[in-house]
Amino acid sequence: MSETTAPVTRTAASSAASPVIAESTTARGRRARIALRTLQVVLALFYVIASALPKLIAHPSAAEGFDKMGWGSAGMYIIGVLELAGGIALLIPVLQSVAAVALSGLMVGAFVVQLTYFDGENAATPLILIVPLALIAWARRRHNADLLRLVRRRA
């Protein structure tokens, strides 16, 4: 079975606003877009359900760690809200890249906390999460221009 594609005419304005991965109309490009979107959904679910939810409902496993650090429930709720917001923002096209960068920063902080308060136990987890977040931030970087236009229009 052969695949035919029609030539795509692009203007300078449309090429500046569309993401790099979305430029390809080939089957490989579609698979890459689907894989990236699937990765975003999986990470969003992880941050919302597995990471933020235990903090927001004050699950004993989350509360124990924050008490050990001396941050208490306020720190736990703040981190939970940041993770929840980042997880949701990973699914909003104009916020995807910014959310990935923000969550990466949060993971750098989590890595430092794991090293300083918990003797490196589970310190690899935040570092592992930075890799797919960096991929999302890079692949969706052209959405930053859209976000900047929206912010400037509102100002």
Side-chain angles (χ1 to χ4, degrees), residues 43 46-47 103-115 120-135:
L43 282 174
F46 169 78
Y47 278 106
L103 286 170
S104 294
L106 200 59
M107 291 301 98
V108 169
F111 173 72
V112 171
V113 165
Q114 289 293 327
L115 288 179
E121 183 181 331
N122 300 322
T125 303
L127 293 180
I128 291 168
L129 288 169
I130 289 174
V131 174
L133 289 169
L135 174 67

Side-chain angles (χ1 to χ4, degrees), residues 3 21 24-35:
E3 182 177 333
I21 291 178
S24 178
T25 58
T26 65
R28 182 176 178 197
R30 283 190 298 276
R31 285 193 302 269
R33 284 193 314 274
I34 291 169

Side-chain angles (χ1 to χ4, degrees), residues 90-106:
L90 278 175
L91 302 176
I92 301 171
V94 74
L95 298 175
Q96 294 168 349
S97 181
V98 172
V101 170
L103 286 170
S104 294
L106 200 59

Side-chain angles (χ1 to χ4, degrees), residues 18-145:
S18 64
V20 174
I21 291 178
E23 289 179 6
S24 178
T25 58
T26 65
R28 182 176 178 197
R30 283 190 298 276
R31 285 193 302 269
R33 284 193 314 274
I34 291 169
L36 184 63
R37 191 63 171 162
T38 302
L39 178 63
Q40 287 177 240
V41 169
V42 168
L43 282 174
L45 287 172
F46 169 78
Y47 278 106
V48 170
I49 296 171
S51 194
L53 186 63
K55 293 173 183 78
L56 295 175
I57 64 170
H59 192 272
S61 64
E64 177 185 325
F66 282 90
D67 286 340
K68 182 178 178 181
M69 292 184 292
W71 293 11
S73 60
M76 179 177 63
Y77 291 129
I78 290 169
I79 298 296
V81 167
L82 290 173
E83 289 175 342
L84 177 66
I88 293 169
L90 278 175
L91 302 176
I92 301 171
V94 74
L95 298 175
Q96 294 168 349
S97 181
V98 172
V101 170
L103 286 170
S104 294
L106 200 59
M107 291 301 98
V108 169
F111 173 72
V112 171
V113 165
Q114 289 293 327
L115 288 179
T116 56
Y117 288 102
F118 300 104
D119 299 323
E121 183 181 331
N122 300 322
T125 303
L127 293 180
I128 291 168
L129 288 169
I130 289 174
V131 174
L133 289 169
L135 174 67
I136 292 166
W138 179 80
R140 304 294 193 196
R141 68 191 179 277
R142 291 198 179 171
H143 286 290
N144 292 339

